[in-house]
Short mmCIF file of all heavy atoms in Angstrom, two decimals:
data_model
loop_
_atom_site.label_atom_id
_atom_site.label_comp_id
_atom_site.label_asym_id
_atom_site.label_seq_id
_atom_site.Cartn_x
_atom_site.Cartn_y
_atom_site.Cartn_z
N LEU A 1 -5.42 7.06 6.17
CA LEU A 1 -4.01 7.18 6.53
C LEU A 1 -3.17 6.17 5.76
O LEU A 1 -2.10 6.51 5.23
CB LEU A 1 -3.85 6.98 8.04
CG LEU A 1 -2.62 7.59 8.71
CD1 LEU A 1 -2.54 9.08 8.45
CD2 LEU A 1 -2.65 7.30 10.21
N GLY A 2 -3.63 4.95 5.66
CA GLY A 2 -2.89 3.92 4.94
C GLY A 2 -2.72 4.26 3.47
O GLY A 2 -1.65 4.06 2.89
N ARG A 3 -3.79 4.79 2.86
CA ARG A 3 -3.69 5.20 1.46
C ARG A 3 -2.70 6.35 1.29
O ARG A 3 -1.97 6.42 0.30
CB ARG A 3 -5.08 5.60 0.94
CG ARG A 3 -6.00 4.41 0.70
CD ARG A 3 -7.26 4.82 -0.04
NE ARG A 3 -8.13 5.63 0.80
CZ ARG A 3 -9.07 5.14 1.61
NH1 ARG A 3 -9.23 3.82 1.69
NH2 ARG A 3 -9.83 5.93 2.34
N GLY A 4 -2.67 7.24 2.28
CA GLY A 4 -1.71 8.34 2.24
C GLY A 4 -0.27 7.85 2.34
O GLY A 4 0.62 8.36 1.65
N VAL A 5 -0.04 6.87 3.20
CA VAL A 5 1.30 6.29 3.34
C VAL A 5 1.73 5.63 2.03
O VAL A 5 2.87 5.78 1.58
CB VAL A 5 1.35 5.28 4.50
CG1 VAL A 5 2.65 4.48 4.47
CG2 VAL A 5 1.20 6.00 5.84
N GLU A 6 0.81 4.91 1.40
CA GLU A 6 1.12 4.26 0.12
C GLU A 6 1.58 5.30 -0.91
O GLU A 6 2.57 5.08 -1.63
CB GLU A 6 -0.12 3.53 -0.39
CG GLU A 6 0.11 2.80 -1.71
CD GLU A 6 -1.18 2.21 -2.28
OE1 GLU A 6 -2.29 2.69 -1.92
OE2 GLU A 6 -1.08 1.29 -3.11
N ALA A 7 0.90 6.43 -0.96
CA ALA A 7 1.28 7.48 -1.92
C ALA A 7 2.61 8.11 -1.53
O ALA A 7 3.45 8.40 -2.40
CB ALA A 7 0.18 8.54 -1.97
N ALA A 8 2.84 8.33 -0.24
CA ALA A 8 4.07 8.99 0.21
C ALA A 8 5.30 8.14 -0.05
O ALA A 8 6.38 8.67 -0.36
CB ALA A 8 3.96 9.32 1.70
N ILE A 9 5.17 6.83 0.06
CA ILE A 9 6.31 5.94 -0.19
C ILE A 9 6.83 6.13 -1.62
O ILE A 9 8.04 6.07 -1.87
CB ILE A 9 5.93 4.47 0.09
CG1 ILE A 9 5.76 4.26 1.60
CG2 ILE A 9 6.97 3.51 -0.47
CD1 ILE A 9 5.17 2.92 1.99
N ARG A 10 5.92 6.38 -2.57
CA ARG A 10 6.33 6.58 -3.97
C ARG A 10 7.23 7.80 -4.15
O ARG A 10 7.95 7.91 -5.13
CB ARG A 10 5.09 6.72 -4.86
CG ARG A 10 4.24 5.47 -4.95
CD ARG A 10 3.06 5.67 -5.87
NE ARG A 10 3.46 5.75 -7.28
CZ ARG A 10 3.22 6.78 -8.06
NH1 ARG A 10 2.60 7.85 -7.60
NH2 ARG A 10 3.59 6.76 -9.34
N GLN A 11 7.16 8.74 -3.22
CA GLN A 11 7.97 9.96 -3.33
C GLN A 11 9.34 9.81 -2.68
O GLN A 11 10.12 10.77 -2.67
CB GLN A 11 7.21 11.14 -2.69
CG GLN A 11 5.90 11.46 -3.40
CD GLN A 11 5.16 12.60 -2.73
OE1 GLN A 11 5.20 12.76 -1.52
NE2 GLN A 11 4.47 13.40 -3.54
N ASN A 12 9.61 8.65 -2.11
CA ASN A 12 10.88 8.42 -1.41
C ASN A 12 11.61 7.26 -2.09
O ASN A 12 11.24 6.09 -1.93
CB ASN A 12 10.62 8.11 0.07
CG ASN A 12 10.09 9.33 0.82
OD1 ASN A 12 10.86 10.13 1.33
ND2 ASN A 12 8.77 9.47 0.87
N ASN A 13 12.65 7.61 -2.85
CA ASN A 13 13.28 6.65 -3.75
C ASN A 13 13.91 5.46 -3.05
O ASN A 13 14.03 4.38 -3.65
CB ASN A 13 14.34 7.35 -4.61
CG ASN A 13 13.73 8.38 -5.54
OD1 ASN A 13 12.58 8.24 -5.95
ND2 ASN A 13 14.47 9.42 -5.85
N GLU A 14 14.34 5.64 -1.81
CA GLU A 14 15.04 4.54 -1.15
C GLU A 14 14.08 3.63 -0.37
O GLU A 14 14.51 2.75 0.38
CB GLU A 14 16.15 5.08 -0.23
CG GLU A 14 15.73 5.50 1.17
CD GLU A 14 15.06 6.87 1.25
OE1 GLU A 14 14.36 7.27 0.28
OE2 GLU A 14 15.20 7.52 2.29
N MET A 15 12.78 3.84 -0.57
CA MET A 15 11.78 3.03 0.13
C MET A 15 10.98 2.18 -0.87
O MET A 15 10.74 2.59 -2.00
CB MET A 15 10.81 3.92 0.91
CG MET A 15 11.46 4.68 2.04
SD MET A 15 10.23 5.58 3.00
CE MET A 15 11.29 6.41 4.18
N GLU A 16 10.54 1.02 -0.37
CA GLU A 16 9.74 0.11 -1.18
C GLU A 16 8.60 -0.44 -0.32
O GLU A 16 8.83 -0.92 0.80
CB GLU A 16 10.62 -1.05 -1.68
CG GLU A 16 9.86 -2.12 -2.45
CD GLU A 16 10.70 -3.36 -2.72
OE1 GLU A 16 11.86 -3.42 -2.24
OE2 GLU A 16 10.18 -4.27 -3.39
N LEU A 17 7.39 -0.36 -0.84
CA LEU A 17 6.25 -0.96 -0.16
C LEU A 17 6.24 -2.46 -0.45
O LEU A 17 6.20 -2.86 -1.63
CB LEU A 17 4.94 -0.32 -0.63
CG LEU A 17 3.65 -0.87 0.00
CD1 LEU A 17 3.62 -0.64 1.50
CD2 LEU A 17 2.43 -0.23 -0.66
N VAL A 18 6.29 -3.27 0.60
CA VAL A 18 6.38 -4.72 0.39
C VAL A 18 5.13 -5.49 0.80
O VAL A 18 4.96 -6.64 0.42
CB VAL A 18 7.62 -5.32 1.10
CG1 VAL A 18 8.90 -4.75 0.50
CG2 VAL A 18 7.57 -5.07 2.60
N ALA A 19 4.24 -4.84 1.58
CA ALA A 19 3.00 -5.54 1.98
C ALA A 19 2.02 -4.55 2.60
O ALA A 19 2.42 -3.54 3.19
CB ALA A 19 3.30 -6.66 2.97
N VAL A 20 0.74 -4.86 2.44
CA VAL A 20 -0.33 -4.15 3.15
C VAL A 20 -1.10 -5.19 3.94
O VAL A 20 -1.56 -6.20 3.38
CB VAL A 20 -1.27 -3.42 2.18
CG1 VAL A 20 -2.48 -2.85 2.92
CG2 VAL A 20 -0.53 -2.31 1.43
N PHE A 21 -1.24 -4.97 5.25
CA PHE A 21 -1.98 -5.89 6.12
C PHE A 21 -3.32 -5.27 6.48
O PHE A 21 -3.42 -4.08 6.76
CB PHE A 21 -1.18 -6.18 7.39
CG PHE A 21 0.15 -6.84 7.14
CD1 PHE A 21 1.33 -6.14 7.28
CD2 PHE A 21 0.21 -8.17 6.74
CE1 PHE A 21 2.56 -6.74 7.05
CE2 PHE A 21 1.43 -8.78 6.49
CZ PHE A 21 2.61 -8.06 6.65
N THR A 22 -4.36 -6.11 6.48
CA THR A 22 -5.71 -5.63 6.74
C THR A 22 -6.48 -6.62 7.59
O THR A 22 -6.20 -7.82 7.58
CB THR A 22 -6.45 -5.39 5.40
OG1 THR A 22 -7.79 -4.94 5.68
CG2 THR A 22 -6.52 -6.67 4.57
N ARG A 23 -7.48 -6.10 8.32
CA ARG A 23 -8.39 -6.98 9.06
C ARG A 23 -9.53 -7.47 8.17
O ARG A 23 -10.26 -8.39 8.54
CB ARG A 23 -8.96 -6.23 10.27
CG ARG A 23 -7.96 -6.03 11.40
CD ARG A 23 -8.54 -5.27 12.56
NE ARG A 23 -8.75 -3.87 12.24
CZ ARG A 23 -8.81 -2.90 13.15
NH1 ARG A 23 -8.68 -3.19 14.43
NH2 ARG A 23 -9.01 -1.65 12.80
N ARG A 24 -9.67 -6.83 7.01
CA ARG A 24 -10.71 -7.24 6.07
C ARG A 24 -10.26 -8.50 5.32
O ARG A 24 -9.12 -8.92 5.42
CB ARG A 24 -10.96 -6.12 5.06
CG ARG A 24 -11.63 -4.90 5.65
CD ARG A 24 -11.78 -3.80 4.61
NE ARG A 24 -10.74 -2.78 4.75
CZ ARG A 24 -10.63 -1.73 3.95
NH1 ARG A 24 -11.48 -1.59 2.94
NH2 ARG A 24 -9.68 -0.83 4.13
N ALA A 25 -11.16 -9.05 4.56
CA ALA A 25 -10.78 -10.16 3.68
C ALA A 25 -9.84 -9.59 2.63
O ALA A 25 -10.24 -8.70 1.87
CB ALA A 25 -12.01 -10.78 3.03
N PRO A 26 -8.59 -10.05 2.56
CA PRO A 26 -7.60 -9.43 1.66
C PRO A 26 -8.06 -9.35 0.21
O PRO A 26 -7.75 -8.37 -0.48
CB PRO A 26 -6.38 -10.35 1.81
CG PRO A 26 -6.52 -10.95 3.16
CD PRO A 26 -8.00 -11.14 3.36
N GLU A 27 -8.81 -10.34 -0.26
CA GLU A 27 -9.21 -10.35 -1.67
C GLU A 27 -10.20 -9.22 -1.99
O GLU A 27 -10.42 -8.89 -3.17
CB GLU A 27 -9.81 -11.71 -2.06
CG GLU A 27 -11.07 -12.09 -1.32
CD GLU A 27 -10.81 -12.79 0.02
OE1 GLU A 27 -9.64 -12.78 0.48
OE2 GLU A 27 -11.77 -13.36 0.58
N THR A 28 -10.81 -8.61 -0.96
CA THR A 28 -11.77 -7.53 -1.19
C THR A 28 -11.12 -6.16 -1.23
O THR A 28 -11.78 -5.17 -1.55
CB THR A 28 -12.85 -7.52 -0.10
OG1 THR A 28 -12.25 -7.17 1.17
CG2 THR A 28 -13.53 -8.87 0.03
N LEU A 29 -9.83 -6.11 -0.91
CA LEU A 29 -9.13 -4.82 -0.82
C LEU A 29 -8.29 -4.56 -2.06
O LEU A 29 -7.43 -5.37 -2.41
CB LEU A 29 -8.23 -4.81 0.43
CG LEU A 29 -7.57 -3.47 0.79
CD1 LEU A 29 -8.63 -2.43 1.12
CD2 LEU A 29 -6.63 -3.66 1.98
N LYS A 30 -8.55 -3.47 -2.73
CA LYS A 30 -7.79 -3.10 -3.92
C LYS A 30 -6.89 -1.91 -3.59
O LYS A 30 -7.39 -0.86 -3.18
CB LYS A 30 -8.73 -2.73 -5.07
CG LYS A 30 -9.70 -3.84 -5.45
CD LYS A 30 -8.98 -5.11 -5.88
CE LYS A 30 -9.99 -6.21 -6.24
NZ LYS A 30 -9.31 -7.50 -6.50
N ILE A 31 -5.59 -2.06 -3.76
CA ILE A 31 -4.65 -0.97 -3.52
C ILE A 31 -4.12 -0.46 -4.85
O ILE A 31 -4.31 -1.09 -5.89
CB ILE A 31 -3.50 -1.41 -2.60
CG1 ILE A 31 -2.59 -2.44 -3.29
CG2 ILE A 31 -4.04 -1.97 -1.28
CD1 ILE A 31 -1.34 -2.78 -2.50
N LYS A 32 -3.45 0.68 -4.84
CA LYS A 32 -2.98 1.29 -6.09
C LYS A 32 -1.63 0.74 -6.54
O LYS A 32 -1.31 0.78 -7.72
CB LYS A 32 -2.90 2.81 -5.92
CG LYS A 32 -4.28 3.46 -5.78
CD LYS A 32 -4.19 4.97 -5.82
CE LYS A 32 -5.59 5.59 -5.78
NZ LYS A 32 -5.54 7.07 -5.84
N SER A 33 -0.82 0.27 -5.61
CA SER A 33 0.52 -0.22 -5.95
C SER A 33 0.43 -1.58 -6.63
O SER A 33 -0.30 -2.47 -6.18
CB SER A 33 1.37 -0.34 -4.69
OG SER A 33 1.48 0.90 -4.04
N GLU A 34 1.18 -1.73 -7.72
CA GLU A 34 1.19 -3.00 -8.44
C GLU A 34 2.17 -3.97 -7.81
O GLU A 34 3.22 -3.58 -7.29
CB GLU A 34 1.56 -2.75 -9.90
CG GLU A 34 0.54 -1.92 -10.66
CD GLU A 34 0.94 -1.70 -12.10
OE1 GLU A 34 2.03 -2.17 -12.49
OE2 GLU A 34 0.17 -1.07 -12.84
N ASN A 35 1.82 -5.25 -7.87
CA ASN A 35 2.69 -6.34 -7.41
C ASN A 35 3.06 -6.25 -5.94
O ASN A 35 4.14 -6.70 -5.52
CB ASN A 35 3.98 -6.38 -8.27
CG ASN A 35 3.68 -6.54 -9.74
OD1 ASN A 35 2.83 -7.32 -10.13
ND2 ASN A 35 4.37 -5.75 -10.56
#
């Protein structure tokens, strides 16, 4: 679901993804959005 939301945000011009929060160790999680 989270990966789907990340992709959907890209289709909405007035939205910006500013953070992804996880219970895992953050350094182990690779997301598709840059910066």
Side-chain angles (χ1 to χ4, degrees):
L1 204 56
R3 287 190 290 271
V5 169
E6 181 187 22
I9 289 170
R10 294 181 71 239
Q11 297 178 326
N12 292 272
N13 295 331
E14 85 280 33
M15 295 185 183
E16 176 190 3
L17 179 63
V18 296
V20 173
F21 298 107
T22 179
R23 287 179 289 203
R24 290 177 260 179
E27 63 273 12
T28 66
L29 188 63
K30 303 300 179 187
I31 67 173
K32 292 188 176 181
S33 302
E34 295 180 358
N35 303 317

